[in-house]
Amino acid sequence: MKRSPVLTEKQVKSLLSATKMTRYQERNRLMVVLSFGVGLRACEISGITVGDVLDSENNVRETVILKSHQTKGSQSHSVYLSESVRKEISKYIESPKKFLVTRKSPLLSSQKGGKLSSHSVQMVLKDLYKKIGLDTCSSHSGRQTFITHLSEKGVSTRIIQELARHSSMQITQSYIDVSVPKLKNAVNLVSI
């Protein structure tokens, strides 16, 4: 499997700043947040609706249920949203958006108000990476970074597997980036 590059926290912040230089900056910022802060795939970002993220009182849910037609593998999955991601979604929904009409409306819409395709999400992210000089990154870099950062923070691989919605531990482990600096830091944790 070809691995997508893992971004540093500084690079993620640069990517979020790059969204300010785009025509649809609020939408594109939330796209980056959903990729890096939740680990959503491009197909999941394009498929999520307003009703998926809002409860009956229009509060952002802590847990989003992605239906089988919105996911890879055609299985429903629970997606857990951190407090910071929920704040980003609230901020986005509260900003003046002419296309957030109904609960069935796409959360992130195209310039004409329709559903973004998975390919469109991939292209927006690719353009943002290019703006900050990361030409080798892809839409999967957010997911790869999300998983690697969880591992670096000491989260159990089993929990990461559930958050990533992987069918096996082996798939999850293949996502976790290993580099020489990380290996050196690891051995320095042990003292004799």
Side-chain angles (χ1 to χ4, degrees):
M1 173 175 90
K2 184 180 176 198
R3 295 168 50 92
S4 299
V6 172
L7 279 66
T8 65
E9 289 184 24
K10 183 178 178 182
Q11 289 170 319
V12 174
K13 287 181 182 178
S14 294
L15 191 63
L16 288 168
S17 291
T19 63
K20 295 175 185 172
M21 299 181 283
T22 64
R23 185 173 177 191
Y24 303 101
Q25 56 184 294
E26 294 91 0
R27 179 200 72 185
N28 295 345
R29 178 181 175 85
L30 187 55
M31 192 181 295
V32 170
V33 167
L34 292 173
S35 180
F36 285 85
V38 184
L40 292 184
R41 298 171 176 96
C43 66
E44 295 165 342
I45 292 170
S46 73
I48 201 163
T49 67
V50 174
D52 291 330
V53 297
L54 294 181
D55 64 19
S56 59
E57 297 173 4
N58 290 328
N59 296 312
V60 178
R61 302 174 193 269
E62 289 183 20
T63 306
V64 172
I65 306 298
L66 293 178
K67 295 159 207 73
S68 60
H69 69 276
Q70 296 170 299
T71 66
K72 178 182 175 187
S74 299
Q75 291 185 335
S76 295
H77 291 285
S78 295
V79 175
Y80 303 95
L81 305 179
S82 68
E83 185 176 334
S84 64
V85 170
R86 291 193 315 269
K87 284 180 183 176
E88 289 280 347
I89 293 171
S90 289
K91 183 176 152 185
Y92 173 76
I93 287 175
E94 290 168 6
S95 66
K97 295 277 172 267
K98 59 184 170 194
F99 297 128
L100 297 178
V101 181
T102 70
R103 298 180 74 73
K104 292 183 180 181
S105 298
L107 181 62
L108 304 177
S109 58
S110 69
Q111 59 190 8
K112 294 182 181 179
K115 178 182 179 252
L116 281 171
S117 69
S118 178
H119 180 72
S120 294
V121 171
Q122 293 170 22
M123 296 315 300
V124 167
L125 291 172
K126 188 99 176 135
D127 288 344
L128 287 169
Y129 292 130
K130 285 182 180 179
K131 284 184 188 309
I132 64 168
L134 297 174
D135 295 348
T136 60
C137 289
S138 71
S139 62
H140 223 58
S141 294
R143 185 167 172 77
Q144 185 90 29
T145 300
F146 171 74
I147 291 168
T148 297
H149 286 186
L150 286 172
S151 176
E152 289 172 350
K153 294 184 186 306
V155 176
S156 148
T157 308
R158 179 69 185 101
I159 291 173
I160 297 170
Q161 177 189 353
E162 286 296 316
L163 292 173
R165 301 167 316 281
H166 285 148
S167 59
S168 77
M169 185 82 69
Q170 187 176 9
I171 294 170
T172 303
Q173 289 171 329
S174 73
Y175 272 71
I176 298 170
D177 185 51
V178 177
S179 64
V180 172
K182 290 175 187 173
L183 294 171
K184 288 179 180 179
N185 286 339
V187 297
N188 285 323
L189 293 173
V190 178
S191 61
I192 298 175

PDB file of all heavy atoms in Angstrom, residues 172-189:
ATOM      1  N   THR A 172      -4.989  -1.071  10.497  1.00  0.00           N
ATOM      2  CA  THR A 172      -4.714   0.101  11.340  1.00  0.00           C
ATOM      3  C   THR A 172      -3.215   0.273  11.544  1.00  0.00           C
ATOM      4  O   THR A 172      -2.684   1.379  11.402  1.00  0.00           O
ATOM      5  CB  THR A 172      -5.425  -0.039  12.703  1.00  0.00           C
ATOM      6  OG1 THR A 172      -6.825  -0.204  12.469  1.00  0.00           O
ATOM      7  CG2 THR A 172      -5.183   1.170  13.579  1.00  0.00           C
ATOM      8  N   GLN A 173      -2.523  -0.812  11.842  1.00  0.00           N
ATOM      9  CA  GLN A 173      -1.082  -0.725  12.073  1.00  0.00           C
ATOM     10  C   GLN A 173      -0.335  -0.257  10.830  1.00  0.00           C
ATOM     11  O   GLN A 173       0.665   0.443  10.933  1.00  0.00           O
ATOM     12  CB  GLN A 173      -0.550  -2.068  12.564  1.00  0.00           C
ATOM     13  CG  GLN A 173      -1.012  -2.367  13.975  1.00  0.00           C
ATOM     14  CD  GLN A 173      -0.684  -3.773  14.424  1.00  0.00           C
ATOM     15  OE1 GLN A 173      -0.635  -4.699  13.633  1.00  0.00           O
ATOM     16  NE2 GLN A 173      -0.476  -3.931  15.724  1.00  0.00           N
ATOM     17  N   SER A 174      -0.847  -0.600   9.656  1.00  0.00           N
ATOM     18  CA  SER A 174      -0.172  -0.166   8.422  1.00  0.00           C
ATOM     19  C   SER A 174      -0.292   1.338   8.202  1.00  0.00           C
ATOM     20  O   SER A 174       0.483   1.926   7.464  1.00  0.00           O
ATOM     21  CB  SER A 174      -0.726  -0.924   7.211  1.00  0.00           C
ATOM     22  OG  SER A 174      -2.023  -0.475   6.883  1.00  0.00           O
ATOM     23  N   TYR A 175      -1.240   1.971   8.855  1.00  0.00           N
ATOM     24  CA  TYR A 175      -1.434   3.420   8.733  1.00  0.00           C
ATOM     25  C   TYR A 175      -0.505   4.224   9.634  1.00  0.00           C
ATOM     26  O   TYR A 175      -0.279   5.391   9.403  1.00  0.00           O
ATOM     27  CB  TYR A 175      -2.875   3.795   9.095  1.00  0.00           C
ATOM     28  CG  TYR A 175      -3.843   3.745   7.947  1.00  0.00           C
ATOM     29  CD1 TYR A 175      -4.248   2.536   7.397  1.00  0.00           C
ATOM     30  CD2 TYR A 175      -4.373   4.915   7.415  1.00  0.00           C
ATOM     31  CE1 TYR A 175      -5.150   2.490   6.362  1.00  0.00           C
ATOM     32  CE2 TYR A 175      -5.279   4.880   6.373  1.00  0.00           C
ATOM     33  CZ  TYR A 175      -5.658   3.663   5.848  1.00  0.00           C
ATOM     34  OH  TYR A 175      -6.557   3.614   4.809  1.00  0.00           O
ATOM     35  N   ILE A 176      -0.021   3.596  10.693  1.00  0.00           N
ATOM     36  CA  ILE A 176       0.782   4.322  11.678  1.00  0.00           C
ATOM     37  C   ILE A 176       2.188   4.519  11.142  1.00  0.00           C
ATOM     38  O   ILE A 176       2.897   3.569  10.830  1.00  0.00           O
ATOM     39  CB  ILE A 176       0.777   3.583  13.038  1.00  0.00           C
ATOM     40  CG1 ILE A 176      -0.657   3.515  13.572  1.00  0.00           C
ATOM     41  CG2 ILE A 176       1.704   4.281  14.032  1.00  0.00           C
ATOM     42  CD1 ILE A 176      -0.834   2.615  14.776  1.00  0.00           C
ATOM     43  N   ASP A 177       2.565   5.783  11.027  1.00  0.00           N
ATOM     44  CA  ASP A 177       3.846   6.155  10.449  1.00  0.00           C
ATOM     45  C   ASP A 177       4.988   5.829  11.422  1.00  0.00           C
ATOM     46  O   ASP A 177       4.896   6.105  12.618  1.00  0.00           O
ATOM     47  CB  ASP A 177       3.847   7.658  10.137  1.00  0.00           C
ATOM     48  CG  ASP A 177       5.104   8.106   9.428  1.00  0.00           C
ATOM     49  OD1 ASP A 177       5.469   7.478   8.412  1.00  0.00           O
ATOM     50  OD2 ASP A 177       5.715   9.090   9.877  1.00  0.00           O
ATOM     51  N   VAL A 178       6.034   5.234  10.889  1.00  0.00           N
ATOM     52  CA  VAL A 178       7.254   4.954  11.654  1.00  0.00           C
ATOM     53  C   VAL A 178       8.396   5.638  10.926  1.00  0.00           C
ATOM     54  O   VAL A 178       8.571   5.477   9.723  1.00  0.00           O
ATOM     55  CB  VAL A 178       7.516   3.429  11.749  1.00  0.00           C
ATOM     56  CG1 VAL A 178       8.816   3.160  12.483  1.00  0.00           C
ATOM     57  CG2 VAL A 178       6.361   2.727  12.436  1.00  0.00           C
ATOM     58  N   SER A 179       9.171   6.426  11.659  1.00  0.00           N
ATOM     59  CA  SER A 179      10.300   7.131  11.056  1.00  0.00           C
ATOM     60  C   SER A 179      11.503   7.029  11.981  1.00  0.00           C
ATOM     61  O   SER A 179      11.368   6.685  13.160  1.00  0.00           O
ATOM     62  CB  SER A 179       9.942   8.601  10.813  1.00  0.00           C
ATOM     63  OG  SER A 179       9.713   9.249  12.044  1.00  0.00           O
ATOM     64  N   VAL A 180      12.675   7.340  11.467  1.00  0.00           N
ATOM     65  CA  VAL A 180      13.914   7.263  12.256  1.00  0.00           C
ATOM     66  C   VAL A 180      13.833   8.157  13.495  1.00  0.00           C
ATOM     67  O   VAL A 180      14.157   7.701  14.601  1.00  0.00           O
ATOM     68  CB  VAL A 180      15.149   7.577  11.379  1.00  0.00           C
ATOM     69  CG1 VAL A 180      16.410   7.697  12.222  1.00  0.00           C
ATOM     70  CG2 VAL A 180      15.319   6.499  10.309  1.00  0.00           C
ATOM     71  N   PRO A 181      13.395   9.414  13.386  1.00  0.00           N
ATOM     72  CA  PRO A 181      13.295  10.227  14.608  1.00  0.00           C
ATOM     73  C   PRO A 181      12.360   9.621  15.655  1.00  0.00           C
ATOM     74  O   PRO A 181      12.641   9.683  16.850  1.00  0.00           O
ATOM     75  CB  PRO A 181      12.761  11.575  14.110  1.00  0.00           C
ATOM     76  CG  PRO A 181      13.126  11.629  12.672  1.00  0.00           C
ATOM     77  CD  PRO A 181      13.097  10.212  12.185  1.00  0.00           C
ATOM     78  N   LYS A 182      11.268   9.011  15.213  1.00  0.00           N
ATOM     79  CA  LYS A 182      10.337   8.397  16.160  1.00  0.00           C
ATOM     80  C   LYS A 182      10.966   7.174  16.819  1.00  0.00           C
ATOM     81  O   LYS A 182      10.755   6.914  18.001  1.00  0.00           O
ATOM     82  CB  LYS A 182       9.032   8.024  15.457  1.00  0.00           C
ATOM     83  CG  LYS A 182       8.223   9.241  15.060  1.00  0.00           C
ATOM     84  CD  LYS A 182       7.003   8.863  14.271  1.00  0.00           C
ATOM     85  CE  LYS A 182       6.323  10.114  13.739  1.00  0.00           C
ATOM     86  NZ  LYS A 182       5.240   9.818  12.833  1.00  0.00           N
ATOM     87  N   LEU A 183      11.738   6.416  16.063  1.00  0.00           N
ATOM     88  CA  LEU A 183      12.430   5.258  16.630  1.00  0.00           C
ATOM     89  C   LEU A 183      13.451   5.709  17.673  1.00  0.00           C
ATOM     90  O   LEU A 183      13.565   5.115  18.749  1.00  0.00           O
ATOM     91  CB  LEU A 183      13.100   4.440  15.517  1.00  0.00           C
ATOM     92  CG  LEU A 183      12.155   3.764  14.519  1.00  0.00           C
ATOM     93  CD1 LEU A 183      12.940   3.185  13.341  1.00  0.00           C
ATOM     94  CD2 LEU A 183      11.339   2.679  15.203  1.00  0.00           C
ATOM     95  N   LYS A 184      14.199   6.760  17.362  1.00  0.00           N
ATOM     96  CA  LYS A 184      15.194   7.283  18.304  1.00  0.00           C
ATOM     97  C   LYS A 184      14.517   7.811  19.571  1.00  0.00           C
ATOM     98  O   LYS A 184      15.015   7.592  20.681  1.00  0.00           O
ATOM     99  CB  LYS A 184      16.028   8.381  17.642  1.00  0.00           C
ATOM    100  CG  LYS A 184      16.988   7.844  16.604  1.00  0.00           C
ATOM    101  CD  LYS A 184      17.784   8.959  15.953  1.00  0.00           C
ATOM    102  CE  LYS A 184      18.745   8.398  14.921  1.00  0.00           C
ATOM    103  NZ  LYS A 184      19.509   9.460  14.257  1.00  0.00           N
ATOM    104  N   ASN A 185      13.397   8.509  19.409  1.00  0.00           N
ATOM    105  CA  ASN A 185      12.664   9.010  20.588  1.00  0.00           C
ATOM    106  C   ASN A 185      12.160   7.845  21.438  1.00  0.00           C
ATOM    107  O   ASN A 185      12.169   7.915  22.663  1.00  0.00           O
ATOM    108  CB  ASN A 185      11.487   9.887  20.154  1.00  0.00           C
ATOM    109  CG  ASN A 185      11.941  11.234  19.648  1.00  0.00           C
ATOM    110  OD1 ASN A 185      13.032  11.697  19.944  1.00  0.00           O
ATOM    111  ND2 ASN A 185      11.102  11.862  18.849  1.00  0.00           N
ATOM    112  N   ALA A 186      11.726   6.780  20.797  1.00  0.00           N
ATOM    113  CA  ALA A 186      11.198   5.618  21.521  1.00  0.00           C
ATOM    114  C   ALA A 186      12.267   4.976  22.386  1.00  0.00           C
ATOM    115  O   ALA A 186      12.021   4.666  23.553  1.00  0.00           O
ATOM    116  CB  ALA A 186      10.609   4.604  20.542  1.00  0.00           C
ATOM    117  N   VAL A 187      13.471   4.760  21.833  1.00  0.00           N
ATOM    118  CA  VAL A 187      14.508   4.103  22.632  1.00  0.00           C
ATOM    119  C   VAL A 187      14.984   4.997  23.763  1.00  0.00           C
ATOM    120  O   VAL A 187      15.454   4.519  24.790  1.00  0.00           O
ATOM    121  CB  VAL A 187      15.716   3.589  21.782  1.00  0.00           C
ATOM    122  CG1 VAL A 187      15.272   2.532  20.811  1.00  0.00           C
ATOM    123  CG2 VAL A 187      16.431   4.734  21.103  1.00  0.00           C
ATOM    124  N   ASN A 188      14.868   6.302  23.603  1.00  0.00           N
ATOM    125  CA  ASN A 188      15.262   7.214  24.670  1.00  0.00           C
ATOM    126  C   ASN A 188      14.274   7.233  25.828  1.00  0.00           C
ATOM    127  O   ASN A 188      14.545   7.815  26.872  1.00  0.00           O
ATOM    128  CB  ASN A 188      15.473   8.642  24.114  1.00  0.00           C
ATOM    129  CG  ASN A 188      16.771   8.726  23.343  1.00  0.00           C
ATOM    130  OD1 ASN A 188      17.766   8.122  23.702  1.00  0.00           O
ATOM    131  ND2 ASN A 188      16.755   9.487  22.263  1.00  0.00           N
ATOM    132  N   LEU A 189      13.118   6.598  25.652  1.00  0.00           N
ATOM    133  CA  LEU A 189      12.158   6.494  26.738  1.00  0.00           C
ATOM    134  C   LEU A 189      12.613   5.482  27.786  1.00  0.00           C
ATOM    135  O   LEU A 189      12.158   5.505  28.930  1.00  0.00           O
ATOM    136  CB  LEU A 189      10.779   6.069  26.199  1.00  0.00           C
ATOM    137  CG  LEU A 189      10.074   7.095  25.307  1.00  0.00           C
ATOM    138  CD1 LEU A 189       8.807   6.479  24.718  1.00  0.00           C
ATOM    139  CD2 LEU A 189       9.738   8.352  26.085  1.00  0.00           C
TER     140      LEU A 189
END
